[in-house]
Amino acid sequence: MTDRLRLNGHEVEEAFRRLALHMPGRTPNAKGPKDQPGAFRSVVACILSAQSRDANTALAAARLFAIIETPDDLLALPEAQLIGAIRPCGLYNMKARNLRRLAASLIEEHGRVVPRTRAGLMALPGVGRKCADIVLAFTFDEPVIAVDTHVNRVCNRLGLTCQTTAERTAAELEARAPDWVRADGHFWLIQFGKAVCLSQRPRCEACFLSDLCLWLKRQRPSTSRME
Ligand code: SF4
């Protein structure tokens, strides 16, 4: 049994080397906030994406961007019409409130320009660390690994990080991830979380990281490798 909480630097490199080898990486057809042209649309799509499937987020975003283009358009849109457009992504009352607050903030405090920094983005209504990092990575091409629920689970099971929230995981991952993984790391970790390290039933028997995984070592005290 291990009482280690984190992989060491060499193991982190090795884990990412294997993820790069086995996972497809950046997908040109990524949906939702990752495929939006421009920072304003990306932030809006991020707010729509909370607890929503990518396809539903993409549908809601397409319906909304068919009737608005700018923060002014968004703020001027009657509430019923806004809710009607974004209904496919769920939680539409709360998201409509956040979108209207976002538009007002951009107009009144930011000259209608989306901030390019994490702190600036996170100061916008309805924007948390994950959303800020997605905008930084996919709109502003910053070398940032955005952490969603899949990335958070994989990082903390494997031992890339040892944290209790996605926000803390993102901060620790930023400190520990080698530079060469930052462009595609988000995709590798999500793909691995969806294909192998599943939420309810991780496929440890088929996992190419099983000899490194600290979670598995804690489950199987007498073995350090999958036999
Ligand atoms: S060994 Fe199991 S828990 Fe560990 S990373 Fe692989 S699938 Fe996830």
Side-chain angles (χ1 to χ4, degrees):
M1 176 149 175
T2 184
D3 56 3
R4 293 175 59 206
L5 300 176
R6 293 171 176 83
L7 300 176
N8 64 36
H10 172 74
E11 292 167 328
V12 170
E13 285 267 358
E14 176 60 17
F16 276 113
R17 191 190 66 75
R18 293 188 210 172
L19 284 163
L21 197 63
H22 292 277
M23 295 292 120
R26 188 171 287 256
T27 43
N29 58 347
K31 290 190 171 61
K34 299 172 199 172
D35 72 343
Q36 295 296 332
F40 172 61
R41 290 174 65 133
S42 184
V43 175
V44 168
C46 265
I47 289 174
L48 296 178
S49 74
Q51 297 180 50
S52 169
R53 290 176 176 275
D54 283 352
N56 294 336
T57 301
L59 177 59
R63 289 164 52 133
L64 181 59
F65 293 129
I67 51 177
I68 70 148
E69 282 186 14
T70 66
D72 299 83
D73 297 339
L74 177 55
L75 197 57
L77 195 64
E79 188 171 351
Q81 207 177 342
L82 173 56
I83 288 174
I86 68 172
R87 190 173 286 271
C89 67
L91 302 175
Y92 37 81
N93 286 317
M94 180 195 75
K95 291 176 183 178
R97 267 197 308 278
N98 280 338
L99 289 174
R100 295 171 74 83
R101 290 171 58 219
L102 169 75
S105 172
L106 287 173
I107 293 167
E108 291 162 16
E109 298 163 31
H110 298 280
R112 296 173 172 79
V113 176
V114 174
R116 292 185 71 105
T117 64
R118 179 179 291 132
L121 284 160
M122 289 178 67
L124 295 173
V127 177
R129 168 91 188 220
K130 183 187 87 169
C131 180
D133 283 357
I134 283 179
V135 176
L136 287 175
F138 294 97
T139 299
F140 296 133
D141 286 328
E142 295 288 340
V144 165
I145 301 178
V147 174
D148 72 349
T149 181
H150 300 289
V151 176
N152 185 46
R153 178 180 68 254
V154 167
C155 286
N156 291 302
R157 275 188 184 156
L158 185 56
L160 296 172
T161 58
C162 180
Q163 297 296 339
T164 51
T165 66
E167 189 159 331
R168 289 180 180 180
T169 297
E172 187 173 3
L173 191 60
E174 182 158 277
R176 303 201 80 210
D179 287 346
W180 65 270
V181 313
R182 293 175 194 270
D184 273 26
H186 170 79
F187 290 98
W188 295 330
L189 291 164
I190 283 183
Q191 290 155 358
F192 180 68
K194 288 182 176 179
V196 184
C197 194
L198 309 177
S199 171
Q200 299 301 319
R201 291 173 63 87
R203 299 177 57 222
C204 303
E205 71 288 350
C207 178
F208 55 84
L209 296 172
S210 60
D211 58 316
L212 296 172
C213 178
L214 298 182
W215 182 86
L216 188 61
K217 286 184 170 69
R218 286 193 287 273
Q219 311 307 306
R220 300 183 176 180
S222 62
T223 57
S224 60
R225 296 180 67 93
M226 292 295 293
E227 300 295 334

